[in-house]
Amino acid sequence: MISDTAIQHLIDKLGKENVITAAEDLLVLGYDSTPGLHATPDLVVYPTNSEQVQSVMQVARDYKVPITPRGSGTGLSGGSIPVDGGIVICLSKMNKILEIDEENLTATCQAGVVTLDLFNAVAAKGLFYPPDPGSQKISTLGGNVMEDAGGLRGLKYGVTRDYVMALKCVLPDGSLLSTGGKSVKDVAGYAFKDLLVGSEGTLAIITEITVKLIPPPQDKRTFLAYFDDIRIAGEAVSKIIAAKIIPSTMEIMDKATINCVEDYVKIGLPREMAALLLIEVDGHPAMVTEEAEGVERILKEVGAAEVHIAKDAEEAASLAAARRTALSALARVSPTTLLEDATVPRSMLAETFALIERLTKKYALTVGTFGHAGDGNLHPTVLCDERDADEMKRAHAFYDELYEQVLAWGGTVSGEHGIGIAKKKYLARQIGPGGVAVMKRIKQAFDPEGILNPGKIFTDGQE
Amino acid sequence: MTDKKKLGNFTSENAPEYEDVLQCMRCGFCLPTCPTFSLTGRERSSPRGRVALARAVSEGKLEFTEAVKEEAFFCLDCRACTTACPSGVRAGEVMEICRSQAHQFFPLKHVSKSFREFVLQKMLPNPGLLETSMLPARLYQKLGIQWLVRHSQLLKLGPEWVDKAERMIPELHPPLRPQLADVIPAEGEQRGRVAFFLGCIMTLMYPEVSRQTVRVLTHQGFEVVTPKEQKCCGAPHLTEGDRDTTKLIAQHNLDLFMALDVDAIVTDCAGCGAALKEYEELLEEAGEHDKLATFRGKIKDVSEFLAEQGLRTEDLKPVEKIVTYHEPCHLCHAQGISKQPRELIKAIPGIVFREMEEASWCCGSAATFSLKYTTESQQILDRKLENVQATGAELLVTANPGCHLQLAWGLKQAGLKQEVVHITELLGMAVSG
Ligand SMILES: Cc1cc2nc3c(=O)[nH]c(=O)nc-3n(C[C@H](O)[C@H](O)[C@H](O)COP(=O)(O)OP(=O)(O)OC[C@H]3O[C@@H](n4cnc5c(N)ncnc54)[C@H](O)[C@@H]3O)c2cc1C
Ligand code: SF4
Ligand code: SF4
């Protein structure tokens, strides 16, 4: 529990309207998009500037209260859930874009800016911020940086990490840290910025972010390819990459996903097909033409059932938008959607699909698979009911077996959603006890009292 | 909706279905489209938050508290979240049901209770009475004004809202319902026979609009039947959480219209259309599945109907106007009708159509009153007016009386020149004679 003096202190610094204690508010700020996870904080604060973030952190430090950062709560590993109660600090009201620097091609914004808002603001100036997680219309940049979010364009343009140039943050001891800058090169000391990206809110609270911008591609071509067998789709992805073509997007949806998405968007997706690939090549017009021909040829060679080309930018955008709804649309058919984030070397895609098919049968489950195929990043999603204990057990067994093989292939248990609470037990399996020990020493160095976002990444035994 | 078993801390009467609240996977896709979340930034005032509150109540983790009630009534019921939700969650509807719960948990004080009951149970179901009644009762309608009324109770406001509401009202003409002939023949080659569902607010406040609707329908070759015994669609009752009266009214209208030999039942009020299309679910328990399904299939908003039938444009006069279109929530979000009105507008010769930004963002209905939510309510309307203004349109077209009233008032207040017209008024301008 938090003492009244601490609360009063917060009210003095942030104003009454930004310090929330009503039970109904607390209840709805203890979840994110991860199924089955919920915890209730004791208090929620909405800072509107860096100084206020610092004040809150100092209160947490002085009163030894756990403090958990939250963006928009779209995380898929439970990162923003206050497992030990305490303070939830919502950054969503820090949503100002501070600067778009057209000379240096950078944008600087507060941590609570919504990803799509930044994209639109820079696009209006003829610039391009590529990272586009499926949740872009509501996820915050702070959340993106902390999870190192990927997106539909990851294959060619990389993930959030590749665009972060500078961060301003508040450390658990209440001090400020500024790392990185607008210069494109910087080797002064340890690369804190790179350490902070993907740290899931366990090392510092980010208040300000400077990202790199690039000129948008001049031209693009969007394909929709249908397959009678999902393994052929996997093969197509591997072959396109082996042909040294790097499309900006190569997304996959299996039959279950196609049907759920079509139920929602109603744009005529092929319900009877085993899988589809959404492929986009972009860049200089001459290169687009050449790569488009290559993609088309390979699709024919491997035996795609049908290949369509989007007739205009609008159709291409509607296809990407449809793909972004995949996860939420899968949630139509069952009360619980358990989603995973397995990532394999791309040459193993066809085998991974075969494995998912086999395990689905073995554990008698309904699974919808979609994901960033071009990145080897798949989201096999078990459609289940959290009230059915046996089904949940089978679902977990499914993932255990899947991950064992994914790791054996040199893959990772999390391509982009982070470890959070949901994947703690797999971390040691992947990086070994030595790796975990170093990570913990880093955490210790930043947060000796363990007040910042406790209960994440490491299992209790590891802590 | 089953009314039987008790779900957590809900009462057993008119409770949400557990499946409906469990369906939300908390992705947050609905957040940026929710006007109340956009205003407050508060999770509990978002669709995701509201569903989570309902879930907590149904799981016994939260009592049905004042705050839950407040969220149920603060929700504009604009259904933007339904359109945005890929998982098929209907937060607006869950809140509508919670309003019914709110009345059970927090019975109204005697005076406001009898006023509410008088309006909902006596006036609205009885068009004759409504037409001869006093203005405040006429206002208590599917206008968005009920949003204010809800707040006037919630916020313990005095009766001054009635005063302000009166000032919003356009010049009133005699109600249309008694004037319309039971059957009006089609012009030219007859293409079909339709029943006209004339909403209370249309007959009372926008009789000239509905007159145009009938004129356009007949001009387009449809014989129009208007049964006088029709009652209110039930939307105000549902919105207010009075599900029992809604069911009685719905049954009456269902029987009345199903006895007519018509190809379609057409309405020019988006709120009524949305309510009529929900009869099937509302009356589910009565068991008349085939009849309900047929009824559901016949209900058409006038834009939906005309677009489906194809507009006969041969003898349309050019209308040399620059127009933009505001999508009523109850048309685009509740009924999924978005393309059709635009198709019709563009089919009129001479029209220059300019799409506005955020055309489907709620206009804030009655939220203009400078009462409790002054800033917030003004912000919703301002956002809309700015978008209208940016198009440089001369006419602002819409298709629902609530929006019509709100937008006309807002434009006037802001000293803007645009005129608001219903889509059938616009079509009416193109119909010669
Ligand atoms: C439908 C859907 C689709 C998705 N698609 C993708 C996808 O394509 N790619 C992808 O990578 N992810 C995806 N995600 C996951 C999720 O959206 C991302 O992880 C996103 O970056 C989270 O942003 P958020 O603002 O919601 O953060 P939250 O969920 O609120 O927080 C995420 C983590 O960051 C921490 N945090 C947040 N803000 C700060 C801050 N300012 N300082 C310090 N710590 C902070 C939190 O403590 C938590 O650990 C998807 C999620 C959904 C629901
Ligand atoms: S209501 Fe729908 S869109 Fe909103 S959070 Fe729930 S599932 Fe997502
Ligand atoms: S109906 Fe409108 S106001 Fe209510 S939760 Fe949905 S989007 Fe928000």
Side-chain angles (χ1 to χ4, degrees), chain A residues 253-325:
Chain A
M253 295 200 264
D254 73 351
K255 189 173 189 168
T257 315
I258 293 171
N259 278 282
C260 289
V261 169
E262 179 60 15
D263 282 345
Y264 174 57
V265 295
K266 303 191 182 70
I267 54 171
L269 297 177
R271 290 180 178 277
E272 65 298 335
M273 286 291 166
L276 68 74
L277 281 177
L278 173 67
I279 303 174
E280 192 161 281
V281 288
D282 69 4
H284 186 278
M287 196 180 97
V288 169
T289 310
E290 197 183 306
E291 292 193 342
E293 281 166 13
V295 166
E296 221 172 336
R297 196 189 58 242
I298 295 169
L299 288 172
K300 296 239 164 74
E301 272 168 23
V302 296
E306 278 175 52
V307 178
H308 298 268
I309 300 177
K311 63 176 190 305
D312 50 26
E314 202 180 318
E315 188 181 346
S318 83
L319 291 171
R323 154 62 188 91
R324 282 186 232 282
T325 67

Side-chain angles (χ1 to χ4, degrees), chain B residues 24-289:
Chain B
C24 172
M25 59 82 66
R26 309 186 294 212
C27 65
F29 272 40
C30 52
L31 267 59
T33 59
C34 173
T36 58
F37 176 71
S38 161
L39 283 177
T40 60
R42 241 160 66 159
E43 180 79 14
R44 66 171 238 205
S45 305
S46 77
R48 179 171 72 173
R50 289 183 169 121
V51 173
L53 287 178
R55 180 170 175 178
V57 175
S58 52
E59 288 174 352
K61 292 178 182 151
L62 180 72
E63 296 293 329
F64 195 100
T65 59
E66 275 283 346
V68 178
K69 170 185 158 186
E70 193 174 324
E71 279 317 325
F73 283 98
F74 185 44
C75 166
L76 291 156
D77 202 14
C78 69
R79 310 284 169 95
C81 50
T82 307
T83 306
C85 177
S87 314
V89 177
R90 293 178 296 183
E93 261 166 62
V94 171
M95 285 302 108
E96 200 169 79
I97 297 170
C98 283
R99 282 180 207 149
S100 167
Q101 289 279 320
H103 290 304
Q104 300 172 49
F105 282 105
F106 304 96
L108 294 173
K109 298 273 167 353
H110 184 67
V111 181
S112 42
K113 176 166 185 258
S114 41
F115 175 67
R116 175 176 172 275
E117 276 174 5
F118 172 69
V119 173
L120 291 178
Q121 291 167 17
K122 298 272 160 39
M123 300 297 282
L124 288 180
N126 187 335
L129 200 57
L130 191 63
E131 277 153 10
T132 52
S133 79
M134 302 304 294
L135 200 55
R138 292 184 187 177
L139 290 177
Y140 200 86
Q141 262 304 327
K142 190 70 200 153
L143 279 182
I145 284 184
Q146 79 280 65
W147 189 77
L148 178 75
V149 175
R150 297 193 310 247
H151 286 86
S152 71
Q153 290 171 358
L154 197 74
L155 304 163
K156 301 174 187 66
L157 296 173
E160 69 268 43
W161 66 268
V162 173
D163 223 49
K164 297 199 174 166
E166 285 204 54
R167 277 190 263 132
M168 265 180 93
I169 302 302
E171 190 194 333
L172 289 182
H173 299 276
L176 180 65
R177 200 184 56 102
Q179 302 178 48
L180 274 187
D182 287 350
V183 179
I184 303 175
E187 286 169 29
E189 192 192 330
Q190 181 165 343
R191 297 159 81 191
R193 176 177 155 94
V194 301
F196 184 40
F197 187 91
L198 178 55
C200 315
I201 218 59
M202 295 308 295
T203 173
L204 286 171
M205 294 180 56
Y206 291 106
E208 294 314 308
V209 171
S210 285
R211 201 189 292 283
Q212 292 305 317
T213 305
V214 174
R215 185 157 158 257
V216 169
L217 283 168
T218 52
H219 171 268
Q220 287 292 314
F222 299 97
E223 183 180 41
V224 178
V225 185
T226 313
K228 292 281 153 60
E229 311 77 45
Q230 55 180 289
K231 290 188 194 295
C232 169
C233 64
H237 309 79
L238 207 57
T239 315
E240 273 301 292
D242 183 356
R243 295 184 80 80
D244 295 337
T245 311
T246 318
K247 288 178 191 171
L248 289 176
I249 296 177
Q251 189 67 48
H252 169 90
N253 284 333
L254 174 72
D255 295 339
L256 177 70
F257 279 91
M258 286 305 284
L260 302 174
D261 175 27
V262 291
D263 308 318
I265 304 163
V266 178
T267 178
D268 55 3
C269 167
C272 296
L276 294 168
K277 287 179 179 175
E278 279 168 24
Y279 280 10
E280 193 176 2
E281 229 169 281
L282 187 78
L283 297 175
E284 203 175 26
E285 283 161 30
E288 300 178 295
H289 294 300

Side-chain angles (χ1 to χ4, degrees), chain A residues 128-131 152-160 162-163 212 214-219 246-249 280-283 375:
Chain A
F128 182 33
Y129 175 68
L152 272 59
R153 304 189 188 103
L155 174 55
K156 177 168 175 181
Y157 292 102
V159 294
T160 304
D162 301 311
Y163 293 85
K212 174 171 91 178
I214 59 175
Q218 292 168 20
D219 193 14
I246 305 292
S248 56
T249 290
E280 192 161 281
V281 288
D282 69 4
D375 304 340

Side-chain angles (χ1 to χ4, degrees), chain A residues 4-252:
Chain A
D4 290 347
T5 27
I7 295 177
Q8 192 51 51
H9 195 85
L10 289 169
I11 291 175
D12 292 345
K13 295 284 184 195
L14 278 71
K16 207 169 169 34
E17 70 285 3
N18 291 323
V19 179
I20 310 287
T21 50
E24 292 82 0
D25 285 292
L26 300 180
L27 199 95
V28 299
L29 290 162
Y31 54 63
D32 65 3
S33 305
T34 322
L37 297 180
H38 184 254
T40 312
D42 297 311
L43 181 87
V44 174
V45 292
Y46 284 93
T48 51
N49 58 46
S50 273
E51 293 71 51
Q52 292 185 349
V53 174
Q54 205 176 4
S55 303
V56 178
M57 190 70 108
Q58 284 161 355
V59 167
R61 174 199 67 197
D62 294 346
Y63 294 86
K64 296 214 179 352
V65 187
I67 175 166
T68 306
R70 183 181 194 274
S72 286
T74 66
L76 289 168
S77 54
S80 68
I81 294 172
V83 279
D84 293 348
I87 302 172
V88 161
I89 178 166
C90 287
L91 282 303
S92 56
K93 288 194 180 167
M94 289 182 51
N95 58 1
K96 283 187 205 58
I97 297 173
L98 303 169
E99 181 197 53
I100 297 171
D101 181 342
E102 293 177 73
E103 273 176 21
N104 287 306
L105 299 189
T106 63
T108 300
C109 51
Q110 290 185 312
V113 167
V114 166
T115 317
L116 188 60
D117 291 348
L118 177 68
F119 175 89
N120 287 332
V122 305
K125 295 200 185 286
L127 290 165
F128 182 33
Y129 175 68
D132 61 339
S135 51
Q136 62 172 2
K137 70 178 203 177
I138 188 64
S139 70
T140 64
L141 280 165
N144 292 168
V145 170
M146 286 291 106
E147 299 293 357
D148 188 13
L152 272 59
R153 304 189 188 103
L155 174 55
K156 177 168 175 181
Y157 292 102
V159 294
T160 304
R161 174 183 302 283
D162 301 311
Y163 293 85
V164 177
M165 297 194 69
L167 295 173
K168 282 193 183 153
C169 57
V170 177
L171 297 176
D173 66 1
S175 63
L176 294 174
L177 178 76
S178 193
T179 161
K182 285 186 187 173
S183 16
V184 289
K185 299 168 84 173
D186 176 10
V187 292
Y190 292 152
F192 281 139
K193 162 174 83 72
D194 294 310
L195 182 58
L196 289 170
V197 175
S199 65
E200 307 188 26
T202 61
L203 301 180
I205 300 181
I206 310 298
T207 58
E208 212 178 284
I209 301 162
T210 299
V211 295
K212 174 171 91 178
L213 306 173
I214 59 175
Q218 292 168 20
D219 193 14
K220 57 177 156 190
R221 192 97 29 101
T222 307
F223 295 91
L224 201 56
Y226 305 157
F227 300 87
D228 318 306
D229 184 333
I230 194 165
R231 281 165 294 198
I232 301 179
E235 204 183 312
V237 171
S238 310
K239 289 233 163 100
I240 288 171
I241 289 168
K244 303 184 180 59
I245 298 172
I246 305 292
S248 56
T249 290
M250 215 159 15
E251 295 287 313
I252 194 159

